[in-house]
């Protein structure tokens, strides 16, 4: 299989990806979030796993996610993140904005549609 | 809102640093382990798995850094780091640091102390509820509008051709009050009046004393919303003519005379021989609303003022209208404006004021005046109480402020120089840091932190100095004619301390910014190459600063010299009488109700005893105390002149005992002195001073001439001429003076100033004088007892203050300039060691080297002197022209000089020499160090 060149993650979209992941999968630790993003993007996104941590911190500061220490599947202690009601609202907002932006861009790129 | 969340988290992060640090490491560790586990499960070996896991994760340490930066407030951390660095730097050169902090502390302390004066006199609001709702009423009119007499202090800003007064007559106030109280829509919730009643004889315990008081309308305390701390306050019911006499005490009076005993409520207090019931005490911070510095000890209702003052009552009766003496204030309802208040009362005021106008006095005055000259109300903010005296002190205080600010400026300049020198030494280090990419602002911030640290430390020590300075300044507020109003309490409250903080930060920025800027300027090449030697720019700046310092200090010192000479001259003025060994004191029998026969008899009895008191050569008295800023004058008519057509002549007056001239040693030039036969059965006589004769009877015989006094239509015959004396003060020119005998002036001698010529030290007789008076009437206080010399000195308080202040600040400035000069030269010498070594190797003598250094220093001083000469010249020209108005503090200070001109050559030369001497001293040490340079060592040293 020919691999396309990997795409860099746009800065703002990481928030969206993390929130969506937590919304879909429920509480998850940092490693789990990183793996999920890798899987869903089909390994097409170039992402240093560590970069999610600053993003997670910011999301926590904004009160969109909350944290709790717990034990993982293989009995390791890990910090679990879960989405908050405010976070759910933010997720909905960002999804809508993303769709709107891409719709505008698509329309722009296909001016033939009258 | 989210920003607040973020800030809060970051703040937490700052404080929980180590805990969060551990958490972060733990989390990343567990992440890696989980990844490794997964990879191993997929079949990798542990080592390979670890390698891949790390690679997938990304740079751990870099990540940790980013994480840390988001987690805390980075700028606080760098700030603390800079602070620690700054402390280290300062500790490295303790001597310089100490000098810097000291000079800063002096400058900031002086400014703080002075600001406390500004605060106390000009800014502090009344300690009442909502002082911003209070308003003061005043009025203005055209010149044709006249009042029937006034008593009190007033200082209204008026244009030429206008009159203005901040005082009201009682009936006018009552009309205004009726209007205000009668309307529910009035913008004012309260309208009240008050006025000082000074010199009340009070009897607390055994000794009678003279205290100050005030009279207030019934709703005064209610209007101010002041509550008593003990008892109750004066109400409208107390302010009725037939009400029981009540009095309120000030907190200070209560503490001092009644030991703060709450059971004084209900006790009787004797005021001017009348009994008043004490009903309450005002709270501690409240000193009344009167002119700044006047603290009434007791307060009585307005309606009782006539009873207290008797014939001197200002209130008036149904037959006598009284005078304009009341201050009027009001409280605005929330939302009301000053203009609304003014409008609501203007008509009532105008009508009653016009009705109160006295009939025309001169023949050519119209009975009616035009509407354009009608009196109209003015409203001013009342949050600080009465402003009149404050306004007159403002220019002086601001003038002082400028002087002190200048001194602080010099201290800053010194410090800037210091820091410039140090920054130059660290030049290479800074350049390197710049070269490897440190931000310029970052470096400037670091250097600034150091100077701000210095400034803050200086500020803290400065607050300590401010306490001391404040005490010294309080001495200036004790003299009634000093620079500052008396009795003002200087406190270092939040406003003042806030000022100190702001000032410290500002000075830190001021002297830190320029050196920091220079040090980090992008001139990398030259300084990296050299061994820290600087030329041109940096030293030119510091030398320029030094020249400015010298200029400022020389100006201050010249001021000091001029005022010292003024003081010296004034102290040696020929007063016209002998003031040595003269004990003076005042007795005020009229306050106790003495008059007519009783009064004369009292005085006679007093003299019977004083004349025979051991140690007394001669005893006499006069109505006016000499050389005490007192005056008493009236207009009169020359023989043949008729009232209404004659031009106005004024003369000063004095009422005396027969032996006055002999006791005071004033020579009689012509005619005769008064005798005991000059009483009220004999024809009215007067004795003129020489100036009186020269001014009014230059070419004719004065003896036998009669002049008429308007105030009681009295005709007096002049029977003698005496030599001139100074009257009001040492510096006031001699004006015409007429003396009249006491036996013919029974209505004017209710208060007299006694003078006893003693054999030895006058103050030794103080106790006996008091005893004599007490024997005759133990309710009669003796006030202001002391020597005439001391009294005259007190009159020079203002001049003395100026002399002291200028000297102090001039000396301070000089010391600072000296230190600055020393610093500049020392640094210069240390930089030029090589050059000196070369010179010496080529044959220069020690003497050459010394003179080179000294000349370098003196050149700067000469530069400073020339600048100050130029500035001084311009100042003198400005003051001599009409550039500064007559009432500005600049002109007033010029008028303080006596016997010296502003460009007095002697003073200028002395100051220049003084400066030169100090400069030489400052040059001496660096010069010696230069001389000790060993050429061999210097040349080898690179």
């Amino acid at each position: 299989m020919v691999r396309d060149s990997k795409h860099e993650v746009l800065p703002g979209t990481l928030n969206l990806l993390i929130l969506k992941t937590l919304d879909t999968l429920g509480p998850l630790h940092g490693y789990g979030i990183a793996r999920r993003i890798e899987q869903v993007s089909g390994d097409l996104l170039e992402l240093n796993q560590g970069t999610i941590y600053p993003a997670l911190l910011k999301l926590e500061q904004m009160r969109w996610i909350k944290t709790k220490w717990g034990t993982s599947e293989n009995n390791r202690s890990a910090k679990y993140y879960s989405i908050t009601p405010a976070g759910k609202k933010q997720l909905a907002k960002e999804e809508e904005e993303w769709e709107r932006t891409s719709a505008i861009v698509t329309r722009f790129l296909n001016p033939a549609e009258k | 809102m989210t920003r607040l969340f973020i800030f809060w988290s970051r703040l937490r992060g700052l404080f929980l640093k180590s805990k969060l640090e551990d958490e972060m490491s733990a989390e990343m560790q567990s992440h890696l382990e989980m990844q490794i586990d997964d990879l191993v499960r997929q079949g990798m070996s542990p080592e390979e798995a670890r390698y891949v896991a790390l690679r997938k994760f990304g740079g751990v340490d870099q990540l940790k850094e980013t994480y840390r930066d988001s987690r805390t407030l980075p700028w606080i951390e760098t700030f603390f780091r800079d602070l620690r660095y700054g402390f280290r730097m300062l500790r490295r050169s303790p001597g310089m640091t100490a000098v810097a902090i000291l000079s800063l502390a002096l400058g900031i302390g002086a400014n703080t102390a002075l600001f406390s004066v500004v605060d106390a006199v000009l800014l502090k609001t009344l300690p009442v509820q909502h002082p911003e709702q209070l308003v003061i009423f005043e009025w203005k009119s055209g010149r044709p509008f006249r009042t029937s007499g006034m008593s009190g202090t007033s200082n209204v800003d008026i244009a030429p051709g206008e009159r203005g007064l901040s005082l009201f007559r009682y009936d006018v106030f009552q009309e205004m009050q009726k209007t205000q109280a009668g309307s529910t829509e009035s913008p004012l919730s309260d309208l009240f009046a008050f006025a000082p009643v000074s010199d009340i004889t009070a009897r607390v315990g055994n000794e009678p004393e003279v205290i100050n008081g005030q009279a207030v309308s019934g709703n005064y305390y209610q209007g101010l919303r002041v509550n008593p701390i003990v008892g109750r306050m004066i109400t409208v019911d107390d302010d009725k003519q037939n009400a029981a006499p009540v009095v309120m005490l000030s907190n200070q009076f209560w503490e001092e005379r009644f030991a703060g005993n709450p059971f004084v409520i209900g006790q009787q207090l004797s005021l001017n021989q009348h009994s008043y019931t004490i009903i309450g005490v005002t709270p501690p911070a409240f000193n009344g609303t009167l002119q700044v510095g006047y603290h009434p000890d007791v307060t009585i209702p307005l309606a009782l003022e006539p009873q207290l003052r008797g014939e001197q009552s200002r209130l008036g009766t149904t037959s006598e209208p009284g005078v304009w003496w009341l201050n009027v204030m009001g409280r605005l309802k929330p939302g009301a404006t000053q203009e609304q208040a003014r409008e609501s009362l203007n008509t009532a005021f105008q009508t009653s004021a016009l009705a109160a106008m006295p009939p025309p006095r001169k023949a050519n005055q119209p009975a009616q005046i035009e509407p354009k000259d009608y009196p109209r109300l003015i409203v001013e903010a009342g949050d600080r109480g009465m402003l009149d005296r404050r306004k007159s002190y403002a220019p002086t205080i601001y003038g002082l402020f400028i002087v002190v600010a200048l001194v602080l400026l010099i201290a800053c300049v010194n410090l800037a120089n210091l820091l410039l020198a140090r920054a130059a030494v660290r030049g290479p280090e800074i350049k390197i840091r710049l070269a490897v990419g440190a931000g310029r602002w970052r470096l400037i911030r670091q250097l600034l932190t150091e100077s701000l640290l210095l400034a803050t430390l200086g500020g803290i020590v400065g607050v300590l100095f401010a306490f001391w300075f404040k005490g010294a300044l309080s001495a200036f507020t004790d003299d009634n004619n000093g620079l500052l109003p008396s009795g003002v309490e200087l406190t270092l409250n939040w406003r003042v301390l806030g000022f100190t903080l702001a000032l410290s930060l500002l000075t830190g920025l001021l002297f830190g910014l320029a050196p920091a800027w220079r040090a980090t300027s992008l001139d990398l090449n030259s300084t990296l190459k050299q061994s820290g030697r600087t030329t041109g720019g940096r030293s030119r700046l510091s030398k320029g600063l030094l020249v400015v310092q010298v200029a400022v200090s020389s100006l201050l010192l010249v001021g000091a010299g001029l005022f010292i000479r003024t003081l010296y001259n004034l102290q040696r003025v020929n007063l016209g009488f002998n003031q040595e060994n003269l004990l003076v004191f005042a007795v005020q029998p009229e306050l106790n109700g003495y008059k007519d026969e009783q009064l004369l008899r009292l005085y006679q009895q007093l003299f019977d005893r004083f004349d025979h008191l051991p140690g007394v050569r001669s005893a006499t008295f006069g109505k006016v105390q000499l050389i005490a800023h007192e005056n008493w004058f009236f207009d009169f008519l020359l023989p043949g002149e008729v009232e209404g057509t004659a031009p106005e002549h004024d003369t000063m007056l004095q009422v005396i005992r027969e032996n006055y001239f002999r006791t005071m040693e004033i020579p009689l030039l012509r005619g005769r002195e008064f005798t005991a036969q000059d009483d009220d059965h004999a024809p009215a006589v007067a004795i003129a001073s020489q100036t009186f004769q020269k001014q009014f009877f230059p070419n004719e015989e004065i003896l036998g001439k009669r002049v008429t006094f308007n105030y009681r239509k009295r005709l007096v015959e002049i029977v003698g001429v005496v030599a001139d004396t100074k009257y009001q003060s040492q510096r006031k020119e001699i004006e015409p003076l007429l003396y009249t005998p006491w036996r013919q002036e029974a209505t004017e001698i209710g208060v007299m100033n006694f003078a006893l010529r003693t054999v030895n030290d006058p103050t030794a007789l103080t106790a006996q004088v008091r005893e004599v008076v007490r024997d005759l009437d133990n309710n009669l206080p003796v006030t202001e007892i002391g020597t005439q010399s001391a009294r005259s000195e007190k009159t020079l308080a203002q001049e003395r203050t100026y002399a002291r202040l200028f000297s102090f600040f001039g000396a301070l400035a000089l010391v600072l300039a000296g230190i600055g000069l020393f610093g500049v030269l020392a640094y210069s010498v240390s930089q030029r060691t090589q050059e000196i070594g070369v010179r010496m190797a080529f044959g220069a003598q020690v003497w050459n080297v010394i003179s080179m250094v000294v000349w370098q220093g003196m050149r700067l001083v000469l530069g400073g002197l020339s600048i100050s000469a130029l500035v001084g010249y311009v100042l003198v020209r400005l003051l001599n022209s009409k550039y500064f108005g007559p009432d500005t503090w600049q002109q007033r200070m010029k008028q303080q000089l006596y016997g010296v001109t502003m460009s007095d050559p002697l003073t200028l030369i002395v100051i220049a020499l003084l400066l030169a001497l100090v400069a030489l001293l400052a040059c001496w040490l660096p010069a010696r160090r230069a001389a000790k340079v060993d050429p061999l060592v210097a040349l080898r040293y690179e």
Side-chain angles (χ1 to χ4, degrees), chain B residues 329-643:
Chain B
M329 278 176 74
R331 183 181 276 279
L332 292 170
K333 289 188 183 145
T337 66
Q338 288 180 1
E339 183 54 33
Q340 286 171 337
R342 199 194 72 81
E343 269 176 27
S344 70
L345 292 177
N346 196 38
T347 320
F349 163 73
Q350 207 168 66
T351 324
S352 53
L354 284 170
M357 208 170 76
R361 202 170 65 147
K362 299 207 169 76
N364 52 354
Q365 276 171 352
Q368 300 278 58
I369 62 172
E370 299 165 44
K372 73 172 170 63
D373 293 321
Y374 281 177
R376 48 197 184 279
L377 274 184
I378 311 171
V379 174
E380 282 207 42
D383 56 347
R384 284 158 288 156
M386 296 310 294
L387 292 172
D388 307 87
R389 277 185 77 198
R390 277 176 226 264
K391 281 193 229 161
S392 64
Y393 280 111
T396 320
I397 294 179
Y398 287 138
L400 261 182
F401 214 44
I402 290 182
V403 168
V404 177
L406 271 178
V407 172
L408 181 62
L409 191 68
I410 294 184
C412 283
V413 164
N414 257 349
L415 280 158
N417 260 340
L418 218 90
L419 286 177
L420 271 176
R422 276 239 298 264
V425 165
R426 286 155 62 181
E429 167 217 333
I430 294 179
K431 301 306 188 226
I432 292 176
R433 289 171 74 176
L434 279 174
V436 276
R440 183 176 188 191
W441 270 113
R442 178 80 187 77
L443 278 178
I444 289 185
R445 218 169 52 202
Q446 188 168 47
L447 290 171
L448 264 185
T449 313
E450 194 180 320
S451 60
L452 281 174
L453 182 64
L454 207 57
T456 315
L457 287 172
I460 294 175
V461 180
V463 170
L464 293 174
F465 275 149
F467 269 113
W468 180 53
F469 282 139
K470 181 171 74 85
L473 272 176
S474 296
F476 290 138
T477 65
D478 278 341
D479 291 324
N480 261 318
N481 293 305
L483 268 183
L484 305 167
S486 60
V488 171
E489 215 181 279
L490 302 176
T491 50
L492 298 181
N493 55 28
W494 292 122
R495 254 194 312 265
V496 176
L497 288 176
F499 169 80
T500 313
L501 181 67
L503 190 66
S504 310
L505 291 176
L506 189 67
T507 47
L509 275 173
L510 199 77
F511 68 74
L513 198 59
W517 189 263
R518 286 201 138 260
T520 53
S521 68
L522 301 167
D523 193 9
L524 295 172
N525 260 321
S526 59
T527 353
L528 274 179
K529 275 196 232 146
Q530 290 178 343
S531 55
R533 199 145 49 102
T534 53
T535 53
R538 180 251 136 183
S539 48
R540 225 184 297 138
L541 180 63
S542 67
K543 281 179 186 156
L545 291 174
L546 186 69
V547 165
V548 168
Q549 276 182 289
V550 171
V552 169
S553 50
S554 63
L555 281 172
L556 284 175
L557 284 173
V558 166
L562 288 176
F563 278 111
I564 291 176
R565 286 199 62 191
T566 296
L567 201 59
Y568 182 82
N569 289 338
L570 282 172
Q571 283 168 334
R572 271 155 194 70
V573 162
N574 180 11
L575 297 171
F577 64 93
N578 180 4
Q579 71 166 350
E580 299 299 313
N581 286 339
L582 208 56
L583 183 69
V584 294
F585 55 93
V587 174
Q588 307 177 42
E590 75 177 358
L591 292 181
N592 288 26
Y594 281 88
K595 51 186 181 182
D596 304 324
E597 270 307 307
Q598 211 187 3
L599 184 64
L600 295 172
R601 205 180 19 240
L602 173 71
Y603 286 140
Q604 189 57 57
Q605 284 170 328
L606 281 171
F607 276 122
D608 287 339
R609 290 187 208 198
F610 285 139
D611 287 338
H612 298 103
L613 205 60
V616 173
R617 272 218 200 99
S618 173
T620 186
F621 65 4
K623 179 178 165 81
V624 174
Q625 168 69 45
L626 293 180
I627 321 295
H629 286 306
E630 274 185 40
N631 63 19
W632 186 46
F633 59 94
F634 272 99
D635 52 334
F636 68 99
L637 297 167
L638 289 171
E641 287 177 348
V642 175
E643 196 182 350

Side-chain angles (χ1 to χ4, degrees), chain B residues 103-149:
Chain B
S103 25
L104 270 177
L106 282 173
I108 293 179
N111 268 297
T112 304
L114 216 66
F115 186 77
S116 75
V117 174
V118 172
D119 184 63
V121 176
L122 299 170
L123 296 179
K124 201 165 12 185
T125 56
L126 294 171
V128 300
Q129 282 183 33
H130 292 296
E132 69 282 356
Q133 285 174 346
L134 294 175
V135 290
I136 301 175
F137 288 94
E138 300 172 344
W139 57 269
K140 269 202 266 206
S141 73
R143 277 211 78 88
F145 177 76
R146 282 165 291 113
T147 57
S148 54

